[in-house]
Amino acid sequence: MSQILPQDQIDAWQEKLADHQHPMELAVDVLRAIQHHHGWVPDEGVELAARLLGTTPLKVEELATFYDKIYRRPVGRRVIRLCDSICCWSRGGEDIAAYLQKKLGITLGETSSDGAFTLLPSCCLGACGEAPAMMIGLKLHGNLTVERIDQILAAEGGEARP
Amino acid sequence: MREDVQVLFKNRRPGETLFLDGYRAAGGYQALKKALTRMTPEEVVEEVKAAGLRGRGGSGFPTGQKWSFIPRGKPGIKYLVCNGDEMEPGTYKDRQLLLADPHQLIEGLLIAAYALQTEVAYIFLRYAYEDCARRVERALAEARQAGFLGDNILGSGFSCEVRLHRSAGRYILGEETALLNGLEGRRPNPRAKPPFPVNEGLFGRPTVINNVETLANVPHIIGGGAAWYRGLALTEDGAGTKIVGLSGHLEKTRCVELPLGVPLGEIIEHHGGGVWRGRRFKACLPGGASTAFLTREHLSVPMDFDALTAARSRLGTACITVFDDRTCMLAATLNLTRFFARESCGWCTPCRDGLAMVVWLLEKIEGGTANQDDIHMLQDQARNISGQTMTGAMSGPMRKDYVFKVGARAFCPLADGAMAPVEALLRLFRDEVEEHVKKGRCPF
């Protein structure tokens, strides 16, 4: 397992938080930093964040389990968030979801066997003018078609399964 | 076509972002200079009041009035928070504003901060808007470098810091008190009102929360004057322009800026290119997922706050989602309700359990296993969960003005908003619901 957060980043956070009038204001940022480095937030990540923020692991856990972009379980190397809100639904979102599940060989909420992709249903991505849409990591992909999905997945790290 | 009056989108170019040099060349930061050098904070508030600007985040509350509630002369810090947690399905206008013209928001934020005499302002952005966050970050750095931000802005003696906060998702953060909890690093459940944020908000201090689009209007009001701004709207009660988002079964799904008061049908036909694939219009959500459906009979209704309320819906965010004549409105409502049920923060029982039950009932009807009792139960649930208009328990002159809508049984407006399409389904498409039950399957 890789480090939860490199020591230089821990030092930088300590310095930043010591100067901060309201350290908890940065709680989500600390969790996002841990997730960015480690891929997800394990128990040790919650404990580390609590130490840095000067609070209890329970307070951090309350946040980590509330926000759906913080992962408390391992995810694939790329997380696909597929919008299932009304605009994407109205423009063929269900067909896109079915195709992605078939192509990756997984259902929504699962990770492909090669660990390349985790597929999650998502609330509105704010891309209603480009529906149907999905995000991979922090990158938005709109106007999805079967052909576009093939291209995007190939560019994002190889096809997980035929 | 009525796209000739471009105020908020005047600097928008396809695929481009306008940064400091371009913004200044287009007259940017002149309004801030005017406010700081030629107006008192009170005069700025009065100008925004006179302009008739109403909140563009969905509530439609008069902005100047909200600003005037902030206690003046009270020692200690006050806060201004820009709500950029746009997450209502169908709504994507703030993203377009931030991608095109991030300095416009920063200038509006700084003028508002001056009017409120707040020295710390926050821009709260949702997780999915990282593309906007990067542009806002750059724009903030440019503004600071140019002396528009930080200490002693333009030598006026007024100082203001602006901090960018990136969130990690959840629709409830759009609710202003949940957003405050989120900013404080607490679990973002909504807070009970009163106290209202203008009295006790962020870190217990007086706080004003405004939407991105609302603040983006402010430089134009200060620059062009209240009378000019009011005159932009087509209706007497309206004021200004509105970014209208178009989505769903339309040929052209895009954001356009239009005067407030353009008829719904004209927007759909001319600006949305009409219903896609040569089909007919069946219904639409006029202002996001938490507004009630409208049908063909409403196509002449002006897109304005009061006209849409009279049509038993709401302007909301003015982001229209259109449904063609092949749409099963029950399936559409099921999709909407699933969203709200999943996004319930779980804090109160009517929302946490009530929305789940509505989903279950809608699934039953859509799946063809429901009976008449289920329709009655759905009606009861919708009535029980949704709220009623109440006057907030505020003292003094605020009491008569600050009318707000909260769930009578739910803790915050999430569940109330969730029931708007359900109530409209039962009112406008009752035959369709009955047909599901009679046929024992979805008729579409």
Side-chain angles (χ1 to χ4, degrees), chain B residues 170-198:
Chain B
R170 293 309 293 271
Y171 174 67
I172 192 64
L173 273 298
E175 198 282 328
E176 59 179 13
T177 59
L179 183 148
L180 294 177
N181 277 337
L183 257 183
E184 290 183 7
R186 297 169 194 267
R187 190 178 174 96
N189 300 121
R191 297 176 182 175
K193 295 185 209 176
F196 288 86
V198 287

Side-chain angles (χ1 to χ4, degrees), chain A residues 1-15 17 23-24 26-38 40-61 64 72:
Chain A
M1 193 173 78
S2 67
Q3 249 181 319
I4 303 294
L5 205 59
Q7 192 57 45
D8 60 333
Q9 282 196 45
I10 293 176
D11 294 343
W13 276 112
Q14 265 171 341
E15 201 176 318
L17 290 161
M24 281 304 283
L26 301 176
V28 171
D29 300 281
V30 172
L31 284 169
R32 286 183 65 161
I34 289 169
Q35 181 162 291
H36 184 73
H37 181 76
H38 187 72
W40 60 290
V41 180
D43 290 347
E44 297 89 327
V46 170
E47 285 157 15
L48 172 64
R51 277 201 307 278
L52 288 169
L53 294 160
T55 188
T56 62
L58 181 63
K59 289 280 179 202
V60 175
E61 181 73 342
R72 283 290 277 119

Side-chain angles (χ1 to χ4, degrees), chain A:
Chain A
M1 193 173 78
S2 67
Q3 249 181 319
I4 303 294
L5 205 59
Q7 192 57 45
D8 60 333
Q9 282 196 45
I10 293 176
D11 294 343
W13 276 112
Q14 265 171 341
E15 201 176 318
K16 193 172 181 180
L17 290 161
D19 278 352
H20 214 283
Q21 196 184 355
H22 304 286
M24 281 304 283
E25 186 187 314
L26 301 176
V28 171
D29 300 281
V30 172
L31 284 169
R32 286 183 65 161
I34 289 169
Q35 181 162 291
H36 184 73
H37 181 76
H38 187 72
W40 60 290
V41 180
D43 290 347
E44 297 89 327
V46 170
E47 285 157 15
L48 172 64
R51 277 201 307 278
L52 288 169
L53 294 160
T55 188
T56 62
L58 181 63
K59 289 280 179 202
V60 175
E61 181 73 342
E62 280 186 345
L63 299 176
T65 54
F66 190 90
Y67 290 105
D68 68 353
K69 276 68 175 189
I70 302 293
Y71 312 126
R72 283 290 277 119
R73 283 194 290 173
V75 289
R77 292 188 293 279
R78 294 274 190 280
V79 176
I80 303 174
R81 309 192 140 271
L82 182 66
C83 180
D84 60 8
S85 300
I86 191 76
C87 305
C88 290
W89 173 85
S90 71
R91 294 180 78 97
E94 286 180 338
D95 295 339
I96 293 295
Y99 181 72
L100 266 170
Q101 291 176 83
K102 191 176 156 205
K103 186 171 173 73
L104 298 171
I106 52 175
T107 58
L108 292 166
E110 290 183 339
T111 300
S112 57
S113 56
D114 62 357
F117 294 106
T118 295
L119 180 61
L120 300 177
S122 177
C123 296
C124 184
L125 297 172
C128 313
E130 304 161 62
M134 66 180 180
M135 280 179 84
I136 302 185
L138 285 165
K139 194 171 175 199
L140 180 74
H141 300 276
N143 298 312
L144 293 178
T145 59
V146 163
E147 295 75 28
R148 262 187 60 71
I149 286 173
D150 288 345
Q151 291 163 6
I152 293 163
L153 291 190
E156 284 279 352
E159 295 188 40
R161 193 182 276 194

Side-chain angles (χ1 to χ4, degrees), chain B residues 88-235:
Chain B
E88 176 121 336
T91 303
Y92 61 110
K93 62 186 181 66
D94 294 343
R95 171 178 242 154
Q96 306 300 317
L97 282 167
L98 291 171
L99 288 179
D101 203 352
H103 278 286
Q104 181 175 233
L105 169 69
I106 294 168
E107 186 177 8
L109 193 76
L110 290 167
I111 296 170
Y114 172 69
L116 298 162
Q117 292 290 290
T118 63
E119 294 188 351
V120 183
Y122 286 85
I123 300 174
F124 189 102
L125 283 184
R126 57 175 298 203
Y127 177 91
Y129 284 6
E130 183 60 26
D131 46 2
C132 300
R134 288 180 187 158
R135 285 160 174 84
V136 169
E137 256 173 355
R138 176 173 159 184
L140 286 173
E142 287 179 338
R144 187 182 309 278
Q145 184 74 25
F148 297 125
L149 182 62
D151 290 336
N152 192 20
I153 298 171
L154 298 172
S156 67
F158 175 67
S159 302
C160 184
E161 276 306 318
V162 180
R163 298 179 189 159
L164 174 64
H165 180 92
R166 289 167 161 91
S167 185
R170 293 309 293 271
Y171 174 67
I172 192 64
L173 273 298
E175 198 282 328
E176 59 179 13
T177 59
L179 183 148
L180 294 177
N181 277 337
L183 257 183
E184 290 183 7
R186 297 169 194 267
R187 190 178 174 96
N189 300 121
R191 297 176 182 175
K193 295 185 209 176
F196 288 86
V198 287
N199 294 314
E200 278 181 47
L202 190 64
F203 304 114
R205 302 297 309 165
T207 304
V208 163
I209 302 145
N210 287 138
N211 172 255
V212 170
E213 187 185 352
T214 310
L215 289 169
N217 272 283
V218 172
H220 305 291
I221 292 169
I222 298 305
W228 163 80
Y229 185 81
R230 281 199 94 99
L232 293 171
L234 301 182
T235 49

